C-alpha cells in the first residue's frame, strides 16, 4: 500500500504534491507520520512535507471528533455489556488521560479512531483536539525527520 501511495504522491508536480500528501495523510494508519515520510521520499523538503501531512491528518481527525461529539450518547446502550477492547481502552484512558492517549495512542490506533473513542468516552472535544493536534505534529516531525535522515544515509 505504501508503494501505491508513494507513486500517487510522486507523480505530481511539486505544488500538487502538497495536496497529494494532505490527501494521503487523511487516511487512517497513514496519518502524519507516514504521510510526511512519503512526502520526503517523494522529494518534498521536510519543511513542506510535514505541514502538508499534518494538515491532512488534522482535518480528518477534527471532522471525526465533531461527529463523535455530535452523536455521543445516541448509539450507546446504557446497560450493554462492555467488550474487552472497550474495557481496555477505558482503563488506558483513565490511567493516561487525553494527553497520554493522544501522544501514545497512535502507536496502536489511528488518531481518528482514538480521538473519536475519547470523545465517545466523555472527554472534552476541545481537549481532545488540542492534544491530538500536538501529537499529530510531533509524530509528523519525528517520522519526516527519520525519512530525511534515512535518505541522507542512503545517498
Amino acid at each position: 500500500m505504501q508503494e501505491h501511495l508513494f507513486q500517487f504522491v510522486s507523480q505530481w508536480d511539486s505544488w500538487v504534491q502538497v495536496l497529494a500528501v494532505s490527501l494521503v495523510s487523511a487516511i487512517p494508519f497513514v496519518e502524519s507520520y507516514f504521510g510526511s515520510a512519503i512526502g520526503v521520499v517523494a522529494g518534498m523538503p521536510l519543511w513542506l512535507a510535514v505541514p502538508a501531512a499534518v494538515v491532512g491528518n488534522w482535518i480528518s481527525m477534527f471532522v471525526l471528533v465533531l461527529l463523535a461529539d455530535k452523536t455521543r450518547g445516541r448509539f450507546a446502550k446504557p446497560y450493554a455489556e462492555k467488550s474487552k477492547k472497550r474495557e481496555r481502552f477505558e482503563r488506558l484512558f483513565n490511567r493516561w488521560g487525553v494527553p497520554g492517549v493522544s501522544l501514545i495512542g497512535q502507536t496502536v490506533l489511528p488518531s481518528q479512531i482514538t480521538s473519536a473513542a475519547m470523545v465517545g468516552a466523555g472527554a472534552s472535544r476541545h481537549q481532545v483536539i488540542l492534544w491530538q493536534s500536538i501529537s499529530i505534529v510531533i509524530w509528523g516531525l519525528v517520522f519526516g525527520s527519520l525519512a530525511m535522515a534515512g535518505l541522507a544515509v542512503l545517498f
Side-chain angles (χ1 to χ4, degrees):
M1 182 172 137
Q2 287 89 354
E3 181 65 30
H4 294 296
L5 296 174
F6 171 74
Q7 288 174 356
F8 173 73
V9 170
S10 61
Q11 74 180 343
W12 302 103
D13 291 332
S14 59
W15 64 273
V16 182
Q17 280 184 336
V18 173
L19 295 173
V21 167
S22 290
L23 283 173
V24 164
S25 299
I27 300 170
F29 293 105
V30 175
E31 308 201 33
S32 67
Y33 39 92
F34 289 133
S36 60
I38 288 170
V40 167
V41 172
M44 292 175 66
L46 182 66
W47 62 267
L48 194 56
V50 171
V54 165
V55 166
N57 190 183
W58 188 86
I59 288 172
S60 64
M61 178 275 305
F62 182 77
V63 168
L64 286 174
V65 165
L66 293 181
L67 287 172
D69 187 52
K70 190 105 171 140
T71 60
R72 182 185 350 205
R74 287 188 184 172
F75 302 105
K77 297 175 185 164
Y79 300 106
E81 195 172 308
K82 293 181 182 178
S83 70
K84 289 185 180 190
K85 288 181 181 180
R86 182 173 174 97
E87 287 177 1
R88 182 173 180 240
F89 172 80
E90 287 180 358
R91 263 194 329 270
L92 290 172
F93 180 68
N94 290 334
R95 182 175 184 187
W96 298 99
V98 173
V101 173
S102 295
L103 295 169
I104 299 169
Q106 289 195 27
T107 61
V108 179
L109 288 172
S111 62
Q112 297 94 333
I113 294 172
T114 55
S115 59
M118 285 189 288
V119 171
S124 160
R125 72 176 177 178
H126 301 292
Q127 191 177 22
V128 170
I129 290 169
L130 170 69
W131 282 102
Q132 284 291 345
S133 300
I134 292 168
S135 176
I136 288 168
V137 170
I138 290 171
W139 283 98
L141 279 170
V142 166
F143 274 74
S145 299
L146 287 172
M148 187 70 94
L151 288 176
V153 168
L154 288 175
F155 301 106

